């Protein structure tokens, strides 16, 4: 398919989603068991963030992202992509987690925080950060944390995410995210 035609189709699909979704946001989506139309539109909106790749690839400035959308994106990435993937397809994560000594991660951003725990075959996510000292702490503004987790930093912009912890522990988290999002 020609790229221009693909972009036209993408625009048409987006317009159709905007037209039909508000008619019944509580409706069940038969092809996505357990999801409502609201859940689906939320998910599609998150996917449209992957536009950062186009901005980075073309050398364009990365457009701002609303904080609440970025916080929601971090939550979905950690819970839906990574934790769910490890639980459902644990064998895919064996190379990453089999030798894990069991680590605790804290991700903090304005208005939200998460605690993750890893170990052999394990990746759990809880809202908030406990009193336990984390092996790795990632903190910063919501959009910057989301971009860091998705490995979408760049574009000559100064980093605004602080990452504290042993490099091998940071690498474990990053490898889990990469495996879950491929």
């Amino acid at each position: 398919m020609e790229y221009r035609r693909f972009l036209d189709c993408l625009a048409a699909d987006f317009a159709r989603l905007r037209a039909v979704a508000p008619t019944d946001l509580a409706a069940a989506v038969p092809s996505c068991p357990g999801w409502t139309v609201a859940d689906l539109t939320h998910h599609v909106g998150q996917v449209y963030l992957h536009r950062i790749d186009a901005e980075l690839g073309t050398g364009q400035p990365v457009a701002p992202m609303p904080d609440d959308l970025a916080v929601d994106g971090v939550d979905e990435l950690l819970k839906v992509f990574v934790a769910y993937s490890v639980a459902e397809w644990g064998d895919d994560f064996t190379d990453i987690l089999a030798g894990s000594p069991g680590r605790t991660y804290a991700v903090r951003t304005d208005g939200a925080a998460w605690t993750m725990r890893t170990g052999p075959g394990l990746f759990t996510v809880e809202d908030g950060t406990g009193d336990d000292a984390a092996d790795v702490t990632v903190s910063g503004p919501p959009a910057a944390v989301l971009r860091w987790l998705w490995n979408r930093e760049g574009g000559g912009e100064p980093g605004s995410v602080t990452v504290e912890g042993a490099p091998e522990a940071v690498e474990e988290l990053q490898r889990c995210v990469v495996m879950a999002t491929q």
Side-chain angles (χ1 to χ4, degrees):
M1 177 182 281
E2 179 188 349
Y3 290 122
R4 178 62 51 199
R5 174 74 180 125
F6 184 72
L7 292 174
D8 291 344
C9 290
L10 185 62
D13 284 349
F14 175 71
R16 183 66 180 148
L17 179 64
R18 286 195 64 183
V20 301
T23 62
D24 189 357
L25 289 171
V29 179
S31 53
C32 301
W35 280 28
T36 65
V37 171
D39 296 326
L40 179 68
T41 56
H42 171 83
H43 173 74
V44 171
Q46 291 293 331
V47 171
Y48 269 89
L49 292 175
H50 287 338
R51 58 110 172 132
I52 292 173
D53 293 330
E55 292 166 330
L56 292 171
T58 59
Q60 300 296 310
V62 175
M65 180 185 319
D67 285 350
D68 57 343
L69 184 61
V71 166
D72 198 65
V74 170
D75 191 72
E76 182 174 31
L77 174 64
L78 296 175
K79 293 177 182 176
V80 176
F81 282 88
V82 186
Y84 180 81
S85 294
V86 172
E88 289 295 312
W89 303 287
D91 290 347
D92 293 345
F93 294 84
T94 299
D95 289 345
I96 301 166
L97 294 173
S100 176
R103 295 187 169 106
T104 301
Y105 298 85
V107 174
R108 296 182 179 115
T109 190
D110 302 335
W114 300 264
T115 298
M116 288 85 62
R117 289 184 174 73
T118 62
L122 176 71
F123 189 101
T124 63
V125 180
E126 299 171 12
D127 290 331
T129 55
D131 294 333
D132 299 338
D135 297 296
V136 172
T137 301
V138 178
S139 59
V145 169
L146 180 62
R147 287 181 61 189
W148 183 88
L149 286 167
W150 274 102
N151 193 29
R152 297 306 192 268
E153 292 181 297
E157 302 164 3
S160 56
V161 173
T162 301
V163 180
E164 299 170 330
E168 63 273 11
V170 174
E171 181 183 347
E172 180 180 278
L173 174 62
Q174 291 175 318
R175 289 182 64 206
C176 284
V177 171
V178 167
M179 179 61 71
T181 58
Q182 290 187 12

